Amino acid sequence: MTTLTPATAADRTGVSIDTLRYYEREGLIGPIRRSAGGRREYTEDDVFWIGLVTCFRDAGLGIADLREFVAILRSDHSPRDRVVFLRERRAALEERVAALHRAMGVLDEKIAYYS
């Protein structure tokens, strides 16, 4: 199995090493395996999870939301529970997108007015 150093995992995922440690402390990724010397060794599966967490953070999910989703994935919850969680977060994201579009419209109007 190929493993990655923390620096390589950070480069591959676009997050800092501190963020990787934070995600691990919060239980959002991992547990991350350790070398005989105690250094973290990331796998491709870890990189996938880091990407998923980063995507969800970009979508506006907070740490509490992410903890809840990870708990749903790691427990005996049904796939339906996972879908309900994701649909609720998607609906909230759609509302944010609509609000951003409204704000952009106001800005466009002001730009046109002052031009």
Side-chain angles (χ1 to χ4, degrees):
M1 172 192 321
T2 302
T3 60
L4 307 170
T5 66
T8 302
D11 286 343
R12 290 257 314 266
T13 59
V15 301
S16 70
I17 293 173
D18 287 338
T19 299
L20 292 177
R21 289 186 193 125
Y22 176 70
Y23 286 171
E24 184 180 5
R25 272 193 317 272
E26 293 298 320
L28 305 178
I29 62 170
I32 303 301
R33 63 184 264 169
R34 303 282 183 135
S35 70
R39 274 190 69 90
R40 288 174 175 87
E41 296 179 325
Y42 293 86
T43 64
E44 289 299 326
D45 190 51
D46 296 325
V47 169
F48 169 81
W49 274 99
I50 295 162
L52 185 63
V53 169
T54 301
C55 177
F56 283 3
R57 293 283 294 147
D58 290 344
L61 275 72
I63 296 300
D65 286 329
L66 291 168
R67 276 193 217 112
E68 182 182 347
F69 186 63
V70 169
I72 290 170
L73 290 177
R74 291 180 177 168
S75 68
D76 290 335
H77 283 82
S78 71
R80 184 181 186 293
D81 294 333
R82 297 169 186 173
V83 170
V84 167
F85 175 91
L86 293 170
R87 283 188 176 150
E88 288 171 355
R89 296 328 178 271
R90 188 179 191 292
L93 185 58
E94 284 179 343
E95 289 174 17
R96 282 186 46 222
V97 168
L100 288 171
H101 280 288
R102 287 190 300 274
M104 288 172 54
V106 170
L107 291 173
D108 289 343
E109 290 171 9
K110 293 302 177 193
I111 289 168
Y113 178 79
Y114 290 116
S115 292

